[in-house]
Amino acid sequence: MELDHRGAFRASVLLTCVIICNNVLCPVLGYLYNNRYAGDQVFKITPSNEEEVRNLKEILAHMKVDFWQPNSASLICHNATVDVHVKRNDTQGLHTRLKQENIDYQVFISNLQKEIEKQSGYRSSRKRRSEAQYDYEVYHSLEEIQSWMFMMNTTHPNLVDMFSVGKSYEGRPLYVLQLGKKRRLQKKAVWIDCGVHAREWIGPAFCQWFVKEAISSYQYDSVMTRLLNQLNFYIMPVFNVDGYRFSWTTDRFWRKTRSKNNKFHCRGVDANRNWKVKWCDEGASSHPCDDTYCGPFPESEPEVKAVAKFLRKHKKRVEAYISIHAYAQMLLYPYSYKYATIPNFNCVESAAHNAVTALYSAYGVRYRYGPASTTLYVSSGSSIDWAYRNGIPYAFAFELRDTGYFGFLLPESLIKPTCTETMRAVKAIASGLLKKCKTDREKFPYI
């Protein structure tokens, strides 16, 4: 898995040049997307009964909206809030219809463009010349993140290896950092991916934070020392590299991967709905224009296929799969596609409890936890279901801050507390892997 260091250095220099050129030529975010979100609003709607649910679905079906929570209209239920981003030309019509139907709602973002501008600004002065100057409390572009990965690989050869599991549809490498004290013997491993959905920028920020904290605290923090000595961590800071790049330069709220499918002039697949467990079932869409489009067939996306292949190859060592998302403040585990209890429920439930307890100890932020189907909603099988079905006994999905006040626009001022508390939760999960909890692996139905 070791890369040619000369090649890595040359690539790092090239990426740095690209970053500098980008910042000299124009402000970050491509002139803030040419004001494309000016006047757009985000509504928080709460239908109180089944009739209101039906009416709300009917209203939203006749206008193009961007679902923030839940992921699609099919998952709307009573007494649960629905967060939707509405284009400026449709806002007045939605106000009128909701009032006519007496459905409770509020506008919590009245001008989406202004909210983006508050947290974005001009970032050409960000520090990036060395590891010590890298700023972990801002959101970084794909080029900056990949340059940082090369830097970590070069400066910490005793703890870090960098490799690619494949390429995206647009030809970008899918880089992973292997973190852990190098040994000849193969160790148990934890997989952590971030940035599955392009607009969830707090995810890649956390993956970088995790690597930084793990390396800086090695030999000083007894828990982290033990973890890096006895476990390997596979960290994928940006799963959806094409989509993340697109969200950074063209469409802040792009969700999907970039793909070949051009039907209806739509491109992209929801990577979390492209796995082989209950593919394209409830909560997913077979329509290419929908945010939750599941793709033409399971593992159609090169990103999903590459990660699935890697995890299958290493499934005997990978004890935990952790996918970082936003937003809702939840820690979820299988199943998401059905109401049923997993065979090793007691072990997983205990790990989740310990994780949210550790998270709460940082700033008093509360997370709900439990099976995704009952804690959130029943949906098509996601990556945690796939991981569990492939014999990885601990499969979790984090939905990080917040619960809707900022939504996908979590301010950079909240990166540090969000990552600090999540770090404690992930350490708790990883620490639990070093203890024995009876799990009958023969019960796992491999695909």
Side-chain angles (χ1 to χ4, degrees):
M1 292 183 181
E2 292 186 2
L3 295 177
D4 182 88
H5 288 292
R6 292 181 181 177
F9 177 76
R10 287 195 296 270
S12 179
V13 171
L14 177 61
L15 282 167
T16 302
C17 291
V18 170
I19 293 165
I20 293 172
C21 290
N22 282 346
N23 282 278
V24 168
L25 291 173
C26 63
V28 78
L29 301 179
Y31 296 106
L32 296 177
Y33 316 105
N34 295 317
N35 272 337
R36 67 180 298 160
Y37 300 112
D40 289 10
Q41 297 182 343
V42 180
F43 286 65
K44 185 179 289 292
I45 310 168
T46 309
S48 60
N49 54 54
E50 292 300 330
E51 181 181 2
E52 291 188 2
V53 168
R54 288 192 298 271
N55 290 338
L56 180 58
K57 288 181 178 180
E58 175 69 18
I59 293 169
L60 297 180
H62 288 85
M63 60 178 65
K64 184 170 179 55
V65 299
D66 171 23
F67 281 92
W68 285 18
Q69 289 286 358
N71 294 329
S72 68
S74 64
L75 300 174
I76 296 174
C77 58
H78 68 277
N79 293 327
T81 59
V82 179
D83 298 344
V84 288
H85 161 208
V86 183
K87 300 299 291 182
R88 57 182 173 271
N89 292 337
D90 292 324
T91 56
Q92 190 55 51
L94 184 55
H95 278 284
T96 301
R97 290 299 311 277
L98 292 174
K99 288 178 180 177
Q100 288 175 347
E101 301 296 340
N102 292 316
I103 300 175
D104 184 52
Y105 77 97
Q106 60 176 307
V107 176
F108 71 96
I109 296 180
S110 59
N111 188 323
L112 195 54
Q113 183 70 27
K114 288 185 177 180
E115 291 302 316
I116 293 173
E117 291 170 357
K118 285 181 183 178
Q119 69 164 232
S120 302
Y122 193 94
R123 296 178 181 158
S124 61
S125 62
R126 283 186 301 187
K127 299 175 182 177
R128 61 175 66 89
R129 289 172 295 175
S130 70
E131 180 185 342
Q133 294 175 315
Y134 192 84
D135 193 345
Y136 292 89
E137 296 184 44
V138 300
Y139 295 119
H140 288 278
S141 69
L142 179 65
E143 290 82 4
E144 291 169 352
I145 293 172
Q146 290 182 337
S147 181
W148 167 84
M149 293 177 76
F150 278 103
M151 179 173 60
M152 300 304 284
N153 180 57
T154 302
T155 56
H156 300 282
N158 62 322
L159 288 176
V160 179
D161 269 330
M162 181 178 173
F163 59 95
S164 172
V165 294
K167 289 189 176 181
S168 69
Y169 171 70
E170 295 181 354
R172 294 181 175 87
L174 304 172
Y175 288 130
V176 175
L177 293 179
Q178 177 180 304
L179 189 62
K181 186 68 175 178
K182 295 180 180 178
R183 286 182 174 182
R184 290 184 179 180
L185 296 177
Q186 288 190 329
K187 300 185 290 184
K188 291 181 179 180
V190 177
W191 171 275
I192 305 176
D193 61 46
C194 300
V196 172
H197 296 135
R199 61 190 176 188
E200 298 169 5
W201 288 2
I202 187 60
F206 170 73
C207 267
Q208 293 176 88
W209 188 277
F210 182 90
V211 173
K212 179 260 297 186
E213 285 293 300
I215 291 174
S216 64
S217 62
Y218 183 67
Q219 294 184 335
Y220 298 100
D221 179 341
S222 60
V223 174
M224 185 53 71
T225 300
R226 187 181 180 209
L227 290 178
L228 294 184
N229 284 343
Q230 299 188 33
L231 295 173
N232 280 328
F233 291 86
Y234 295 114
I235 313 294
M236 191 176 197
V238 188
F239 183 112
N240 181 4
V241 291
D242 297 342
Y244 185 82
R245 181 73 172 79
F246 189 68
S247 78
W248 190 264
T249 60
T250 307
D251 187 345
R252 172 64 176 87
F253 299 105
W254 185 261
R255 170 188 174 89
K256 302 181 287 184
T257 63
R258 306 280 283 167
S259 75
K260 189 176 181 179
N261 193 298
N262 288 303
K263 190 177 181 182
F264 304 115
H265 306 288
C266 296
R267 300 180 64 193
V269 173
D270 179 353
N272 207 36
R273 300 287 181 261
N274 193 231
W275 301 79
K276 284 186 176 179
V277 181
K278 290 292 181 179
W279 170 77
C280 223
D281 205 343
E282 187 172 355
S285 172
S286 59
H287 195 291
C289 287
D290 292 340
D291 282 342
T292 55
Y293 176 48
C294 57
F297 54 86
E299 294 184 29
S300 63
E301 303 313 287
E303 299 86 354
V304 174
K305 192 173 187 65
V307 172
K309 181 180 179 181
F310 178 84
L311 290 175
R312 286 191 187 103
K313 181 179 179 180
H314 297 279
K315 65 184 179 183
K316 290 185 178 180
R317 293 199 304 114
V318 178
E319 291 287 311
Y321 171 92
I322 300 173
S323 191
I324 306 295
H325 295 264
Y327 57 95
Q329 292 179 195
M330 294 180 181
L331 177 55
L332 309 172
Y333 54 81
Y335 300 107
S336 66
Y337 67 94
K338 64 180 179 179
Y339 297 113
T341 301
I342 55 178
N344 63 333
F345 171 80
N346 289 339
C347 293
V348 174
E349 173 78 2
S350 177
H353 172 78
N354 291 339
V356 298
T357 300
L359 186 150
Y360 177 83
S361 69
Y363 301 102
V365 174
R366 297 186 182 277
Y367 270 51
R368 294 171 57 197
Y369 68 95
S373 58
T374 56
T375 308
L376 192 55
Y377 42 67
V378 174
S379 64
S380 63
S382 64
S383 61
I384 60 171
D385 294 301
W386 182 93
Y388 191 78
R389 287 280 302 274
N390 273 271
I392 299 176
Y394 294 87
F396 295 102
F398 278 87
E399 295 284 351
L400 302 187
R401 294 195 193 187
D402 57 6
T403 57
Y405 185 80
F406 294 109
F408 296 118
L409 291 174
L410 192 71
E412 290 179 331
S413 61
L414 293 180
I415 291 177
K416 181 177 180 180
T418 301
C419 292
T420 298
E421 66 194 12
T422 308
M423 183 80 185
R424 293 192 183 187
V426 173
K427 283 175 63 177
I429 292 172
S431 296
L433 300 180
L434 302 180
K435 303 174 184 177
K436 290 185 177 180
C437 186
K438 189 175 181 181
T439 299
D440 186 358
R441 297 197 73 149
E442 296 300 320
K443 291 183 178 180
F444 286 83
Y446 292 88
I447 294 175

